[in-house]
Amino acid sequence: MASSKGKQPVKLSSGIHAGAGIPIAEPAKPILTTEFGTKVVMHNVIFPSGDEQDYFPMQEYRSGEHVYSEVEVIQRALKRDAGDDTRRVTTVYFMSPPGLGKTVLGAWLAREHGCPYQVINCVSSMTDLDLLGSHVLVGQETIWQDGPLPSIIRATNEHGMGILIINELNALTTNAQLGLNPLLDKQQCVILTQNNNERVQVQSGAHLLILASMNPDIMGVNELQDAVRDRSNIVLFFDYPSVEKEADLVHMLTGLDTAIAARFASVINECRLLKTRDRQITQAPSTRGLLDWINYAPVLGTEIAFELAVVNRYGTTEDERNALKMIARGKHIADLVVTSASFKEV
Protein backbone atom coordinates (compact mmCIF):
# COMPACT_ATOMS: atom_id res chain seq x y z
CA MET A 1 0.00 0.00 0.00
CA ALA A 2 1.18 3.51 -0.76
CA SER A 3 1.98 5.27 2.47
CA SER A 4 2.26 8.85 3.59
CA LYS A 5 5.50 7.92 5.36
CA GLY A 6 8.80 8.96 3.86
CA LYS A 7 9.91 11.82 1.71
CA GLN A 8 8.70 10.58 -1.68
CA PRO A 9 5.11 10.49 -2.92
CA VAL A 10 3.84 7.35 -4.57
CA LYS A 11 4.75 6.65 -8.19
CA LEU A 12 2.20 5.73 -10.80
CA SER A 13 2.06 2.77 -13.15
CA SER A 14 -1.40 3.07 -14.66
CA GLY A 15 -0.33 1.92 -18.11
CA ILE A 16 -1.28 5.29 -19.63
CA HIS A 17 1.51 7.43 -21.01
CA ALA A 18 0.88 10.93 -22.28
CA GLY A 19 4.10 11.28 -24.21
CA ALA A 20 7.78 11.92 -23.72
CA GLY A 21 8.54 14.10 -20.72
CA ILE A 22 6.61 16.98 -19.23
CA PRO A 23 5.35 19.43 -21.86
CA ILE A 24 6.26 23.07 -21.40
CA ALA A 25 3.73 25.86 -21.53
CA GLU A 26 2.17 26.52 -24.91
CA PRO A 27 1.12 29.93 -26.27
CA ALA A 28 -1.99 31.26 -24.57
CA LYS A 29 -5.28 30.72 -26.37
CA PRO A 30 -4.02 29.16 -29.62
CA ILE A 31 -6.34 29.46 -32.61
CA LEU A 32 -7.06 26.23 -34.46
CA THR A 33 -9.21 25.30 -37.43
CA THR A 34 -11.65 22.41 -37.05
CA GLU A 35 -12.35 19.77 -39.68
CA PHE A 36 -15.33 21.88 -40.77
CA GLY A 37 -13.09 24.88 -41.43
CA THR A 38 -14.37 26.71 -38.34
CA LYS A 39 -11.85 28.80 -36.43
CA VAL A 40 -11.72 28.09 -32.71
CA VAL A 41 -9.99 29.97 -29.90
CA MET A 42 -9.01 27.35 -27.32
CA HIS A 43 -9.59 28.03 -23.65
CA ASN A 44 -6.32 27.95 -21.73
CA VAL A 45 -5.34 24.56 -20.35
CA ILE A 46 -2.55 24.05 -17.83
CA PHE A 47 0.67 22.22 -18.59
CA PRO A 48 2.66 20.87 -15.62
CA SER A 49 5.84 22.78 -14.87
CA GLY A 50 7.35 20.06 -12.69
CA ASP A 51 7.05 22.30 -9.62
CA GLU A 52 3.61 21.07 -8.60
CA GLN A 53 3.24 20.17 -4.94
CA ASP A 54 3.78 16.51 -4.11
CA TYR A 55 0.70 14.60 -3.04
CA PHE A 56 0.79 12.20 -0.12
CA PRO A 57 -2.09 9.70 0.21
CA MET A 58 -4.20 10.23 3.32
CA GLN A 59 -7.20 7.93 2.83
CA GLU A 60 -7.63 4.15 3.14
CA TYR A 61 -10.17 1.88 1.45
CA ARG A 62 -10.39 -1.71 2.69
CA SER A 63 -11.62 -4.84 0.96
CA GLY A 64 -10.86 -7.97 2.94
CA GLU A 65 -7.10 -8.12 3.37
CA HIS A 66 -6.49 -5.44 0.75
CA VAL A 67 -5.98 -1.81 1.75
CA TYR A 68 -5.76 0.80 -1.00
CA SER A 69 -4.98 4.50 -0.85
CA GLU A 70 -6.98 6.97 -2.93
CA VAL A 71 -4.08 7.15 -5.40
CA GLU A 72 -4.02 3.36 -5.78
CA VAL A 73 -7.77 3.29 -6.38
CA ILE A 74 -7.47 5.85 -9.18
CA GLN A 75 -4.36 4.13 -10.56
CA ARG A 76 -6.12 0.76 -10.75
CA ALA A 77 -9.18 2.29 -12.40
CA LEU A 78 -7.00 4.02 -15.00
CA LYS A 79 -5.06 0.84 -15.67
CA ARG A 80 -8.28 -1.09 -16.21
CA ASP A 81 -9.78 1.55 -18.52
CA ALA A 82 -6.54 2.01 -20.47
CA GLY A 83 -6.99 -1.49 -21.85
CA ASP A 84 -10.54 -0.81 -23.02
CA ASP A 85 -10.85 1.63 -25.92
CA THR A 86 -14.59 1.87 -25.33
CA ARG A 87 -13.81 3.54 -21.98
CA ARG A 88 -11.84 6.65 -22.91
CA VAL A 89 -13.14 8.65 -19.94
CA THR A 90 -12.62 7.63 -16.31
CA THR A 91 -14.78 9.59 -13.87
CA VAL A 92 -14.02 9.74 -10.15
CA TYR A 93 -16.28 11.68 -7.77
CA PHE A 94 -15.01 12.86 -4.39
CA MET A 95 -17.37 13.53 -1.49
CA SER A 96 -15.24 15.66 0.77
CA PRO A 97 -14.95 18.77 2.91
CA PRO A 98 -12.77 21.51 1.38
CA GLY A 99 -9.05 21.84 1.93
CA LEU A 100 -8.02 18.17 1.88
CA GLY A 101 -5.89 18.32 -1.26
CA LYS A 102 -8.17 17.15 -4.06
CA THR A 103 -6.96 19.84 -6.47
CA VAL A 104 -3.37 19.14 -5.42
CA LEU A 105 -4.00 15.47 -6.22
CA GLY A 106 -5.22 16.32 -9.73
CA ALA A 107 -2.29 18.63 -10.50
CA TRP A 108 0.17 16.07 -9.12
CA LEU A 109 -1.34 13.32 -11.28
CA ALA A 110 -0.92 15.58 -14.31
CA ARG A 111 2.72 16.11 -13.40
CA GLU A 112 3.34 12.40 -12.95
CA HIS A 113 1.73 11.60 -16.30
CA GLY A 114 3.17 14.63 -18.09
CA CYS A 115 -0.25 15.61 -19.40
CA PRO A 116 -2.32 18.82 -19.58
CA TYR A 117 -5.04 19.51 -17.07
CA GLN A 118 -7.93 21.89 -16.58
CA VAL A 119 -9.54 23.19 -13.38
CA ILE A 120 -13.17 24.30 -13.22
CA ASN A 121 -14.25 26.00 -9.99
CA CYS A 122 -18.02 25.74 -10.11
CA VAL A 123 -20.41 28.42 -8.86
CA SER A 124 -24.19 28.49 -8.96
CA SER A 125 -24.23 31.28 -11.58
CA MET A 126 -22.43 29.15 -14.18
CA THR A 127 -24.34 28.13 -17.30
CA ASP A 128 -23.68 25.39 -19.81
CA LEU A 129 -22.17 28.02 -22.12
CA ASP A 130 -19.55 28.81 -19.48
CA LEU A 131 -18.46 25.18 -19.76
CA LEU A 132 -18.93 24.67 -23.51
CA GLY A 133 -18.00 28.05 -24.98
CA SER A 134 -19.45 30.96 -26.94
CA HIS A 135 -18.75 33.21 -29.91
CA VAL A 136 -16.34 36.11 -29.35
CA LEU A 137 -15.11 39.01 -31.43
CA VAL A 138 -11.45 38.68 -32.45
CA GLY A 139 -10.29 41.57 -34.59
CA GLN A 140 -12.93 42.05 -37.26
CA GLU A 141 -14.40 38.56 -37.15
CA THR A 142 -16.56 36.58 -34.78
CA ILE A 143 -15.14 33.16 -33.97
CA TRP A 144 -15.84 30.41 -31.49
CA GLN A 145 -14.20 30.52 -28.05
CA ASP A 146 -13.94 27.04 -26.57
CA GLY A 147 -15.02 26.63 -22.98
CA PRO A 148 -12.96 24.49 -20.59
CA LEU A 149 -14.68 21.21 -21.55
CA PRO A 150 -13.93 21.12 -25.30
CA SER A 151 -10.49 22.62 -24.66
CA ILE A 152 -9.36 19.83 -22.33
CA ILE A 153 -10.78 17.23 -24.73
CA ARG A 154 -8.81 18.70 -27.65
CA ALA A 155 -5.67 18.86 -25.49
CA THR A 156 -6.25 15.25 -24.38
CA ASN A 157 -6.48 14.10 -27.97
CA GLU A 158 -3.27 15.93 -28.84
CA HIS A 159 -1.21 14.70 -25.88
CA GLY A 160 -2.73 11.24 -25.33
CA MET A 161 -4.04 11.97 -21.84
CA GLY A 162 -5.63 14.85 -19.97
CA ILE A 163 -7.10 15.50 -16.54
CA LEU A 164 -10.20 17.57 -15.81
CA ILE A 165 -10.61 18.77 -12.21
CA ILE A 166 -14.12 19.97 -11.34
CA ASN A 167 -14.42 21.57 -7.92
CA GLU A 168 -17.83 21.71 -6.21
CA LEU A 169 -19.74 19.96 -8.99
CA ASN A 170 -22.96 20.17 -7.02
CA ALA A 171 -22.84 23.98 -7.15
CA LEU A 172 -23.78 23.85 -10.85
CA THR A 173 -27.35 24.43 -11.95
CA THR A 174 -29.34 21.55 -13.42
CA ASN A 175 -28.79 22.71 -17.01
CA ALA A 176 -25.05 23.12 -16.50
CA GLN A 177 -24.80 19.67 -14.91
CA LEU A 178 -26.71 18.02 -17.73
CA GLY A 179 -24.30 19.54 -20.23
CA LEU A 180 -21.74 17.08 -18.85
CA ASN A 181 -23.80 13.98 -19.60
CA PRO A 182 -22.55 13.27 -23.15
CA LEU A 183 -18.96 13.41 -21.85
CA LEU A 184 -19.71 11.07 -18.96
CA ASP A 185 -21.62 8.42 -20.91
CA LYS A 186 -20.71 6.25 -23.90
CA GLN A 187 -20.64 9.20 -26.28
CA GLN A 188 -17.53 10.54 -24.46
CA CYS A 189 -17.95 13.94 -26.06
CA VAL A 190 -19.44 17.38 -25.64
CA ILE A 191 -21.82 18.88 -28.17
CA LEU A 192 -21.33 22.56 -28.92
CA THR A 193 -24.93 23.47 -29.65
CA GLN A 194 -24.03 27.12 -30.27
CA ASN A 195 -21.27 26.18 -32.75
CA ASN A 196 -23.15 24.24 -35.44
CA ASN A 197 -23.57 21.30 -33.03
CA GLU A 198 -19.87 20.50 -33.30
CA ARG A 199 -19.11 17.21 -31.57
CA VAL A 200 -15.79 17.26 -29.66
CA GLN A 201 -15.02 13.67 -28.70
CA VAL A 202 -12.23 11.90 -26.84
CA GLN A 203 -10.54 10.03 -29.66
CA SER A 204 -9.38 6.44 -29.82
CA GLY A 205 -6.02 6.05 -28.11
CA ALA A 206 -6.55 9.06 -25.82
CA HIS A 207 -7.82 9.05 -22.24
CA LEU A 208 -9.45 11.70 -20.08
CA LEU A 209 -9.50 11.41 -16.29
CA ILE A 210 -12.24 13.47 -14.61
CA LEU A 211 -11.88 14.23 -10.90
CA ALA A 212 -15.05 15.91 -9.64
CA SER A 213 -15.45 16.99 -6.03
CA MET A 214 -18.62 17.63 -4.08
CA ASN A 215 -18.60 19.44 -0.77
CA PRO A 216 -21.33 18.17 1.59
CA ASP A 217 -21.49 21.65 3.14
CA ILE A 218 -22.98 23.10 -0.04
CA MET A 219 -25.40 20.25 -0.70
CA GLY A 220 -28.78 21.74 -1.40
CA VAL A 221 -27.48 24.79 -3.29
CA ASN A 222 -28.16 22.71 -6.38
CA GLU A 223 -28.91 19.03 -6.02
CA LEU A 224 -26.65 16.71 -7.98
CA GLN A 225 -28.80 15.31 -10.75
CA ASP A 226 -29.39 11.56 -10.65
CA ALA A 227 -28.31 11.26 -14.29
CA VAL A 228 -24.99 12.95 -13.49
CA ARG A 229 -24.42 10.96 -10.29
CA ASP A 230 -25.17 7.69 -12.09
CA ARG A 231 -22.47 8.42 -14.68
CA SER A 232 -19.65 8.37 -12.15
CA ASN A 233 -17.37 5.33 -12.34
CA ILE A 234 -16.09 5.55 -8.76
CA VAL A 235 -17.17 7.63 -5.76
CA LEU A 236 -14.58 8.19 -3.02
CA PHE A 237 -15.41 9.60 0.39
CA PHE A 238 -12.62 11.73 1.86
CA ASP A 239 -12.51 12.32 5.59
CA TYR A 240 -10.19 14.34 7.77
CA PRO A 241 -6.99 12.39 8.40
CA SER A 242 -5.97 11.09 11.80
CA VAL A 243 -3.69 13.23 13.96
CA GLU A 244 -0.80 10.89 13.17
CA LYS A 245 -1.27 11.05 9.40
CA GLU A 246 -1.79 14.79 9.40
CA ALA A 247 1.35 15.26 11.50
CA ASP A 248 3.28 13.15 8.99
CA LEU A 249 1.92 15.31 6.16
CA VAL A 250 2.90 18.53 7.96
CA HIS A 251 6.40 17.14 8.55
CA MET A 252 6.83 16.20 4.89
CA LEU A 253 5.55 19.54 3.59
CA THR A 254 7.19 21.89 6.09
CA GLY A 255 10.03 20.00 7.77
CA LEU A 256 8.51 20.61 11.22
CA ASP A 257 9.39 17.92 13.76
CA THR A 258 6.68 15.25 13.74
CA ALA A 259 6.08 15.42 17.49
CA ILE A 260 5.53 19.19 17.35
CA ALA A 261 3.40 18.81 14.22
CA ALA A 262 1.25 16.29 16.10
CA ARG A 263 0.50 18.88 18.80
CA PHE A 264 -0.69 21.34 16.16
CA ALA A 265 -2.72 18.62 14.43
CA SER A 266 -4.27 17.59 17.75
CA VAL A 267 -5.57 21.13 18.30
CA ILE A 268 -7.11 21.24 14.82
CA ASN A 269 -8.64 17.80 15.36
CA GLU A 270 -10.38 19.08 18.50
CA CYS A 271 -11.61 22.12 16.59
CA ARG A 272 -13.12 19.87 13.93
CA LEU A 273 -15.15 18.09 16.59
CA LEU A 274 -16.92 21.39 17.21
CA LYS A 275 -18.54 20.83 13.82
CA THR A 276 -18.69 17.07 13.33
CA ARG A 277 -19.75 16.17 16.88
CA ASP A 278 -20.96 19.27 18.71
CA ARG A 279 -22.39 21.30 15.80
CA GLN A 280 -21.01 24.48 17.36
CA ILE A 281 -19.30 25.78 14.22
CA THR A 282 -20.43 25.71 10.59
CA GLN A 283 -17.09 24.94 8.92
CA ALA A 284 -14.35 22.71 10.26
CA PRO A 285 -10.69 23.77 9.89
CA SER A 286 -9.01 22.09 6.94
CA THR A 287 -5.47 20.83 6.48
CA ARG A 288 -4.89 24.04 4.53
CA GLY A 289 -5.84 26.04 7.62
CA LEU A 290 -3.55 23.93 9.78
CA LEU A 291 -0.60 24.58 7.46
CA ASP A 292 -1.26 28.33 7.44
CA TRP A 293 -1.33 28.39 11.25
CA ILE A 294 1.98 26.53 11.42
CA ASN A 295 3.66 28.63 8.73
CA TYR A 296 2.76 31.94 10.40
CA ALA A 297 3.43 30.82 13.98
CA PRO A 298 7.19 31.58 13.85
CA VAL A 299 6.63 35.19 12.75
CA LEU A 300 3.39 36.05 14.59
CA GLY A 301 3.50 33.74 17.58
CA THR A 302 1.39 30.63 18.01
CA GLU A 303 -1.61 32.36 19.63
CA ILE A 304 -1.90 35.28 17.19
CA ALA A 305 -1.37 32.96 14.21
CA PHE A 306 -4.11 30.67 15.53
CA GLU A 307 -6.52 33.57 15.90
CA LEU A 308 -5.86 34.91 12.41
CA ALA A 309 -5.49 31.64 10.47
CA VAL A 310 -8.07 29.54 12.33
CA VAL A 311 -10.41 31.47 14.65
CA ASN A 312 -11.25 34.36 12.33
CA ARG A 313 -11.26 32.10 9.30
CA TYR A 314 -13.60 29.37 10.54
CA GLY A 315 -15.57 31.22 13.20
CA THR A 316 -18.40 33.03 11.43
CA THR A 317 -20.04 34.33 14.63
CA GLU A 318 -18.77 35.51 18.00
CA ASP A 319 -20.01 32.29 19.61
CA GLU A 320 -18.12 30.18 17.07
CA ARG A 321 -14.93 32.18 17.57
CA ASN A 322 -15.22 31.83 21.34
CA ALA A 323 -15.68 28.07 20.99
CA LEU A 324 -12.48 27.83 18.92
CA LYS A 325 -10.59 29.98 21.44
CA MET A 326 -11.71 27.69 24.26
CA ILE A 327 -10.17 24.74 22.42
CA ALA A 328 -6.92 26.66 22.09
CA ARG A 329 -6.84 27.49 25.80
CA GLY A 330 -7.68 23.92 26.75
CA LYS A 331 -4.87 22.59 24.55
CA HIS A 332 -2.41 25.17 26.01
CA ILE A 333 -1.24 26.48 22.66
CA ALA A 334 0.62 29.29 24.46
CA ASP A 335 3.16 26.62 25.42
CA LEU A 336 3.51 25.55 21.79
CA VAL A 337 6.47 27.63 20.62
CA VAL A 338 8.04 27.29 17.17
CA THR A 339 10.74 29.34 15.47
CA SER A 340 12.27 29.26 12.01
CA ALA A 341 14.85 26.86 13.44
CA SER A 342 12.05 24.36 14.16
CA PHE A 343 11.73 23.65 10.44
CA LYS A 344 14.19 21.45 8.60
CA GLU A 345 14.69 21.77 4.86
CA VAL A 346 12.42 19.46 2.86
Side-chain angles (χ1 to χ4, degrees):
M1 182 189 80
S3 170
S4 62
K5 299 279 187 184
K7 291 288 185 180
Q8 297 298 322
V10 297
K11 296 298 181 182
L12 301 184
S13 57
S14 66
I16 300 176
H17 303 283
I22 296 175
I24 60 174
E26 292 191 347
K29 296 187 177 180
I31 297 179
L32 58 86
T33 303
T34 70
E35 58 183 307
F36 305 106
T38 306
K39 288 186 177 180
V40 172
V41 181
M42 286 185 63
H43 190 282
N44 283 336
V45 295
I46 305 170
F47 291 85
S49 64
D51 295 327
E52 287 74 21
Q53 180 179 317
D54 286 338
Y55 182 81
F56 301 94
M58 302 297 289
Q59 308 295 319
E60 291 184 350
Y61 304 92
R62 297 179 179 272
S63 177
E65 297 180 353
H66 300 288
V67 182
Y68 301 117
S69 71
E70 63 273 31
V71 172
E72 289 174 310
V73 170
I74 295 171
Q75 176 182 347
R76 285 171 173 266
L78 278 173
K79 187 173 184 179
R80 184 267 166 214
D81 290 350
D84 182 355
D85 196 49
T86 66
R87 294 281 291 270
R88 303 171 196 168
V89 178
T90 299
T91 305
V92 180
Y93 286 0
F94 298 106
M95 297 291 292
S96 168
L100 294 187
K102 299 178 294 296
T103 304
V104 172
L105 169 59
W108 174 77
L109 284 168
R111 186 192 76 186
E112 293 298 296
H113 285 288
C115 70
Y117 67 102
Q118 180 73 271
V119 181
I120 301 175
N121 295 308
C122 301
V123 294
S124 58
S125 59
M126 273 186 171
T127 68
D128 55 342
L129 294 183
D130 293 318
L131 301 175
L132 298 176
S134 60
H135 287 95
V136 296
L137 184 65
V138 177
Q140 299 298 314
E141 61 179 333
T142 300
I143 64 177
W144 178 258
Q145 162 76 69
D146 264 348
L149 293 183
S151 285
I152 190 59
I153 295 174
R154 297 189 205 274
T156 296
N157 290 336
E158 180 179 352
H159 294 273
M161 182 177 173
I163 297 175
L164 173 61
I165 304 167
I166 306 176
N167 291 322
E168 318 303 0
L169 174 61
N170 55 312
L172 291 178
T173 63
T174 298
N175 285 341
Q177 288 182 32
L178 295 180
L180 291 168
N181 279 352
L183 180 59
L184 303 179
D185 63 23
K186 291 184 178 181
Q187 299 178 71
Q188 301 174 124
C189 71
V190 292
I191 301 171
L192 308 183
T193 56
Q194 301 295 312
N195 192 38
N196 300 318
N197 286 320
E198 182 189 358
R199 181 187 178 97
V200 184
Q201 185 175 34
V202 181
Q203 296 173 356
S204 176
H207 203 89
L208 176 64
L209 171 63
I210 299 177
L211 304 175
S213 70
M214 289 166 283
N215 179 358
D217 288 339
I218 64 169
M219 282 294 187
V221 173
N222 289 300
E223 292 292 337
L224 187 66
Q225 295 300 299
D226 289 342
V228 178
R229 181 186 296 273
D230 190 54
R231 283 166 168 79
S232 64
N233 300 130
I234 292 172
V235 178
L236 298 178
F237 281 82
F238 271 30
D239 200 358
Y240 296 110
S242 66
V243 170
E244 179 185 9
K245 282 193 173 184
E246 200 157 31
D248 286 341
L249 176 64
V250 168
H251 170 69
M252 288 183 284
L253 292 177
T254 69
L256 184 64
D257 178 78
T258 304
I260 300 175
R263 291 191 61 188
F264 278 94
S266 176
V267 175
I268 293 298
N269 183 65
E270 287 291 321
C271 291
R272 288 170 181 156
L273 293 177
L274 291 175
K275 173 178 171 58
T276 60
R277 183 188 64 194
D278 303 330
R279 300 293 190 265
Q280 287 186 259
I281 60 176
T282 53
Q283 183 179 351
S286 67
T287 299
R288 186 185 299 125
L290 168 62
L291 289 168
D292 284 338
W293 175 28
I294 290 171
N295 286 328
Y296 288 115
V299 294
L300 296 174
T302 307
E303 292 177 283
I304 294 176
F306 180 79
E307 182 171 357
L308 301 183
V310 179
V311 174
N312 293 350
R313 185 173 180 171
Y314 299 103
T316 58
T317 66
E318 190 64 29
D319 286 343
E320 290 187 1
R321 289 189 286 273
N322 286 335
L324 289 165
K325 290 176 182 178
M326 285 184 63
I327 295 292
R329 287 194 293 269
K331 299 291 283 187
H332 305 290
I333 69 167
D335 300 331
L336 187 54
V337 179
V338 293
T339 66
S340 57
S342 304
F343 299 84
K344 296 180 180 179
E345 186 175 350
V346 293

